[in-house]
């Protein structure tokens, strides 16, 4: 445990700090030694409250108190939807177990406590590349406070641009029942978007805006770490061929062919992001972007694994959420402290099937979309039967969108793996 933590810390240090923030600092097992000052910073121990001198050109704003900082942009995979929250959840559905939060905790522990690290968590559920860009009502870039220290950025985007919800809805859940459209058509739409130029161009503009806002020329160590997505299914097992995640009775089966096509979509999206990252890097003398492909880390933790009967709500080893499923955060972690039940409380907002679609599509929130499509399906066919009781409770028809929106997103243990994969790639940059 302890050693693992030290290794993680080492990765954060190496990435963030080797490049200039801390000069000639080396890592020795449990201790981060600063040879210049001979001061030893232990990992989370009492001696962490220590201010180290910064080179003048790196000094962060007078009196800000922050030693370091970073920013997270992007979609629900970055926001960590479903991984716990304190108090009221906002519309962006940022979770305490999000990998950005985990990195913040590691960084803060190594830097002198919780107030040493400025973390701007701007990621928002439903965001496309357009919402990362400046301009527009929900612009993440416009919310970016460049007066705060920022030594690196995290970015996860693409799933909403490239039709993940459309495919999930049409091929797996069919929230809008027969009207959801065919799986074939959704996969074809996604493929066309992946092949088009719009996403790559949007990503290029977004990254350029991030680099400029972070004044990369003055911060040679600044990089944007871009994450991909993980395949949802084990597509080799037989048993799932007869199982279904469909919300309405007699939904689509999780046949091997369907699973492998959905997996292929994720791999294609990852390849597209990687290619775009390479293209952007080629414009700089030194790479400004790092792509982290964490897909392999999810091996054995997808849906339809050997011996698993889906939907299996009790399997903590599955790192994606099922509809309304509990999180799998470790005991004692931040995200575990937050009540899962809050996510399950019924919403007082009635979903109006005649008017819900436009706002749901505008937000891009999978949960709002799912709820709206279910309401629309029920309005068109009142006799429609739910496949299982897990989708809605008997006497409270509708739940908050997070209940649905977190589906097919990483649970807390998945975010730990994303964090570890990020550290692994950072270590490889040395
Ligand atoms: C961090 O800042 C908050 C708000 O200013 C303050 O309440 C808290 O005591 C600080 N924590 C530490 C460990 O300094
Ligand atoms: C940006 O951060 C600085 C430093 O903490 C703060 O003084 C300022 O109010 C912030 N600006 C905005 C628009 O929040
Ligand atoms: C967490 O705590 C609960 C209740 O004490 C226990 O049943 C469960 O096994 C624990 N989980 C882990 C992963 O330790």
């Amino acid at each position: 445990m302890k050693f693992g933590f030290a290794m993680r810390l080492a990765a954060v240090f190496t990435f963030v700090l080797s490049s200039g923030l801390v000069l000639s600092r080396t890592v020795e097992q449990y201790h981060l030694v600063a040879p210049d000052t001979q001061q030893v910073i232990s990992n989370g121990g009492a001696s962490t409250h220590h201010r180290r001198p910064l080179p003048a050109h790196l000094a962060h704003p007078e009196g800000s108190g922050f030693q370091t900082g970073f920013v997270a942009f992007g979609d629900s995979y970055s926001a960590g939807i479903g991984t716990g929250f304190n108090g009221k959840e906002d519309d962006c559905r940022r979770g305490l177990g999000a990998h950005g939060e985990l990195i913040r905790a590691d960084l803060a522990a190594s830097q002198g406590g919780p107030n040493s690290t400025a973390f701007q968590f701007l990621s928002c559920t439903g965001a496309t590349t357009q919402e990362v860009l400046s301009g527009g009502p929900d612009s993440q870039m416009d919310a970016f406070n460049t007066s705060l220290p920022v030594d690196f950025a995290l970015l996860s985007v693409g799933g909403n641009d490239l039709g993940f919800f459309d495919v999930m809805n049409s091929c797996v859940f069919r929230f809008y029942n027969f009207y959801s459209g065919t799986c074939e058509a959704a996969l074809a739409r996604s493929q066309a978007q992946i092949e088009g130029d719009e996403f790559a161009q949007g990503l290029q503009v977004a990254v350029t805006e991030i680099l400029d806002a972070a004044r990369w020329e003055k911060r040679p160590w600044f990089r944007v770490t871009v994450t991909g997505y993980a395949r949802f299914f084990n597509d080799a097992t037989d048993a799932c061929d007869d199982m279904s995640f469909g919300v309405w009775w007699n939904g689509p089966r999780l046949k091997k062919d369907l699973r492998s096509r959905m997996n292929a979509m994720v791999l294609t999206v990852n390849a597209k992001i990687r290619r775009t990252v390479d293209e952007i890097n080629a414009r700089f003398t030194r790479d400004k972007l790092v792509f982290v492909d964490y897909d392999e880390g999810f091996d054995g933790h997808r849906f339809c694994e050997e011996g698993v009967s889906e939907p299996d709500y009790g399997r903590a080893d599955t790192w994606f959420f099922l509809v309304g499923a509990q999180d799998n955060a470790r005991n004692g972690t931040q995200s575990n402290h937050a009540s899962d039940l809050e996510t399950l409380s019924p919403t007082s907002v009635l979903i109006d099937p005649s008017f819900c679609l436009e706002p749901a599509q505008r937000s891009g929130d999978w949960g709002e979309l799912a709820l709206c499509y279910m309401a629309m399906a029920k309005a068109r066919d009142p006799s429609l039967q739910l496949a299982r009781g897990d989708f809605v409770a008997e006497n409270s028809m509708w739940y908050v969108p997070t209940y649905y929106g977190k589906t097919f997103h990483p649970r807390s243990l998945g975010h730990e793996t994303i964090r570890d994969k990020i550290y692994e790639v950072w270590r490889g940059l040395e």
Side-chain angles (χ1 to χ4, degrees):
M1 259 323 262
K2 212 173 175 212
F3 185 70
F5 180 75
M7 290 313 286
R8 294 211 308 270
L9 224 52
V12 182
F13 252 89
T14 310
F15 178 73
V16 183
L17 309 175
S18 68
S19 29
L21 202 61
V22 169
L23 306 167
S24 63
R25 182 154 288 178
T26 58
V27 179
E28 289 179 357
Q29 271 204 352
Y30 300 117
H31 296 113
L32 299 158
V33 183
D36 48 337
T37 57
Q38 294 306 305
Q39 276 173 300
V40 175
I41 308 170
S42 82
N43 64 345
S47 60
T48 52
H49 295 272
H50 146 87
R51 289 271 163 88
R52 60 199 154 60
L54 289 168
H57 70 288
L58 298 176
H60 290 309
E62 271 300 302
S64 82
F66 296 113
Q67 313 242 351
T68 181
F70 68 105
V71 56
F73 293 103
D75 58 19
S76 47
Y77 282 72
S78 171
I81 181 172
T83 62
F85 51 89
N86 282 323
K88 198 181 168 301
E89 187 185 42
D90 67 12
D91 286 345
C92 284
R93 312 195 198 291
R94 298 180 189 114
L96 294 170
H99 56 271
E101 287 282 12
L102 304 179
I103 291 171
R104 181 238 291 265
D106 284 348
L107 203 49
S110 72
Q111 292 290 291
N115 294 346
S116 65
T117 301
F119 175 36
Q120 300 188 60
F121 198 2
L122 307 178
S123 317
C124 196
T125 289
T128 61
T129 310
Q130 285 306 311
E131 274 105 38
V132 175
L133 299 179
S134 61
D138 302 314
S139 163
Q140 295 178 17
M141 198 63 58
D142 291 349
F144 182 23
N145 186 341
T146 53
S147 307
L148 290 165
V150 56
D151 295 303
F152 62 95
L154 303 176
L155 173 64
S156 161
V157 77
N160 293 318
D161 302 74
L162 303 171
F164 274 23
F165 178 81
D166 188 18
V167 169
M168 226 88 69
N169 180 35
S170 303
C171 302
V172 177
F173 294 103
R174 304 193 63 76
F175 295 111
Y176 197 13
N177 200 25
F178 306 117
Y179 315 105
S180 301
T182 69
C183 178
E184 290 297 321
L187 285 167
R189 277 193 294 275
S190 171
Q191 188 60 35
Q193 282 156 337
I194 293 169
E195 284 165 8
D197 293 332
E198 207 177 316
F199 169 67
Q201 284 164 0
L203 187 58
Q204 298 207 8
V205 177
V207 167
T208 306
E209 287 189 2
I210 295 170
L211 289 171
D212 287 347
R215 294 185 294 276
W216 64 276
E217 279 162 294
K218 292 195 174 125
R219 292 191 176 105
W221 62 90
F222 184 88
R223 286 197 189 88
V224 183
T225 293
V226 183
T227 44
Y229 299 90
R231 284 170 293 169
F232 302 113
F233 297 101
N234 179 331
D235 55 17
T237 50
D238 293 320
C240 259
D241 282 354
D242 296 320
M243 298 170 194
S244 176
F245 284 159
V247 287
W248 305 107
W249 190 75
N250 207 9
R253 310 285 124 182
L254 297 168
K255 292 198 188 307
K256 277 196 280 297
D257 176 59
L258 169 64
R259 284 179 268 151
S260 66
R261 294 183 69 184
M262 288 187 62
N263 281 351
M265 173 194 73
V266 172
L267 293 181
T268 314
V269 168
N270 281 352
K272 173 87 177 183
I273 298 173
R274 182 191 294 277
R275 209 162 47 243
T276 309
V277 161
D278 289 346
E279 282 164 16
I280 300 170
N281 273 334
R283 304 205 310 248
F284 294 90
T285 48
R286 202 176 147 202
D287 286 358
K288 291 289 141 204
L289 274 66
V290 188
F291 178 63
V292 176
D293 181 349
Y294 58 79
D295 174 63
E296 269 185 20
F298 276 57
D299 279 351
H301 302 282
R302 312 181 201 271
F303 293 119
C304 294
E305 295 290 358
E306 196 64 59
V308 177
S309 182
E310 299 290 4
D312 186 343
Y313 281 83
R315 184 175 187 255
D317 272 345
T318 302
W319 288 350
F320 293 109
F321 281 107
L322 281 166
V323 171
Q326 298 271 310
D327 192 16
N328 60 357
R330 290 175 205 283
N331 287 332
T333 57
Q334 215 194 175
S335 45
N336 188 261
H337 283 159
S339 166
D340 258 343
L341 289 176
E342 288 188 80
T343 341
L344 299 170
S345 66
T347 174
S348 55
V349 181
L350 281 173
I351 309 287
D352 185 334
S354 334
F355 296 107
C356 59
L357 193 56
E358 200 272 329
Q361 281 175 335
R362 190 155 19 87
S363 79
D365 186 313
W366 299 7
E368 284 182 37
L369 283 163
L371 278 169
C372 180
Y373 279 131
M374 288 172 76
M376 286 166 63
K378 193 78 180 164
R380 290 180 81 141
D381 184 358
S383 69
L384 215 55
Q385 295 293 309
L386 288 165
R388 292 179 303 278
D390 49 334
F391 293 110
V392 275
E394 280 293 304
N395 56 358
S396 55
M397 183 66 185
W398 309 113
Y399 284 95
V400 289
T402 300
Y403 186 87
Y404 298 94
K406 66 185 174 183
T407 306
F408 274 55
H409 285 83
R411 299 161 88 189
S412 280
L413 292 181
H415 278 281
E416 288 189 14
T417 297
I418 298 172
R419 171 203 59 197
D420 293 344
K421 284 284 170 186
I422 290 173
Y423 290 168
E424 199 180 303
V425 171
W426 285 357
R427 270 196 299 271
L429 295 174
E430 285 164 52

